[in-house]
Amino acid sequence: VGKRPGRKMEYVANFGSIGNITFTSDEYETLIKVNLPGLKSSGVRWMVHNTWWQENTTCPPADEAYYDPLMIGHSTYCVKAVGSRFEHCRVGDMVGKHGPLSAHSTQDFIDLSLPLNGMASVLNRAVVLGTNPPLCARIGEPLEEQLIAKFDGPYLKRSVLISQTELLRN
């Protein structure tokens, strides 16, 4: 009897000299690693924007057009709660789910409602930091995508790892 294969996807939003935010997802959750040592201020609002974004275009404000594919809208019930599924939060409401960012931020968050694939995927959307002026980075620079098959039966104990480092389109 073998275990279910796992799929790991990892993408980065690169803010240049400010730092980056890495998104690593398996089938169940997304790990968000914030590494922004160049962030100068605290209490910075952050979000995933509703539209697809390309570098060298105007960065939208950090409180405008949260990514909301489930059409939840603004909810007073969206509060920071570790391990919560955030049923009352817009997908892109990072402040509501995880709180604002602090200066020189290095933080990790687990998000159960931030998909990197499928119909509600956040890939190629902008992460917007509410600095003055706002800063944007596209979620989409692939670090690595892995497919892992593990076999742990009485006659076969092996695992197979397939890695790819280019962006795959669904």
Side-chain angles (χ1 to χ4, degrees):
V1 177
K3 294 183 180 178
R4 285 176 57 185
R7 184 174 179 184
K8 176 184 161 193
M9 294 171 285
E10 193 167 65
Y11 297 93
V12 66
N14 191 344
F15 291 92
S17 63
I18 304 292
N20 62 55
I21 301 176
T22 303
F23 301 85
T24 305
S25 182
D26 60 16
E27 297 175 47
Y28 308 105
E29 62 189 21
T30 300
L31 170 64
I32 303 165
K33 292 180 116 358
V34 176
N35 183 27
L36 299 170
L39 190 62
K40 301 289 186 220
S41 52
S42 287
V44 173
R45 301 185 61 74
W46 58 310
M47 65 173 287
V48 176
H49 198 267
N50 196 37
T51 58
W52 289 53
W53 184 77
Q54 294 181 3
E55 283 86 357
N56 303 320
T57 60
T58 303
C59 185
D63 289 326
E64 183 180 291
Y66 291 84
Y67 182 49
D68 189 14
L70 305 176
M71 298 177 155
I72 292 171
H74 177 72
S75 172
T76 56
Y77 297 105
C78 179
V79 294
K80 183 178 170 185
V82 176
S84 166
R85 285 208 173 272
F86 311 116
E87 288 96 352
H88 301 288
C89 299
R90 296 168 285 194
V91 170
D93 186 356
M94 306 310 284
V95 172
K97 295 191 282 185
H98 308 294
L101 298 175
S102 56
H104 314 291
S105 196
T106 302
Q107 299 169 271
D108 293 351
F109 304 102
I110 297 289
D111 197 315
L112 301 175
S113 65
L114 194 76
L116 296 181
N117 64 355
M119 295 298 291
S121 173
V122 297
L123 281 183
N124 291 318
R125 298 186 187 281
V127 175
V128 182
L129 302 181
T131 55
N132 189 10
L135 297 172
C136 286
R138 183 176 59 88
I139 303 170
E141 294 182 34
L143 293 180
E144 185 170 52
E145 182 161 0
Q146 296 180 342
L147 177 62
I148 304 167
K150 293 183 180 179
F151 303 94
D152 192 14
Y155 303 106
L156 180 62
K157 292 188 182 295
R158 293 275 189 253
S159 62
V160 177
L161 170 67
I162 301 169
S163 292
Q164 183 165 336
T165 56
E166 61 184 68
L167 180 62
L168 298 177
R169 301 279 180 203
N170 293 3

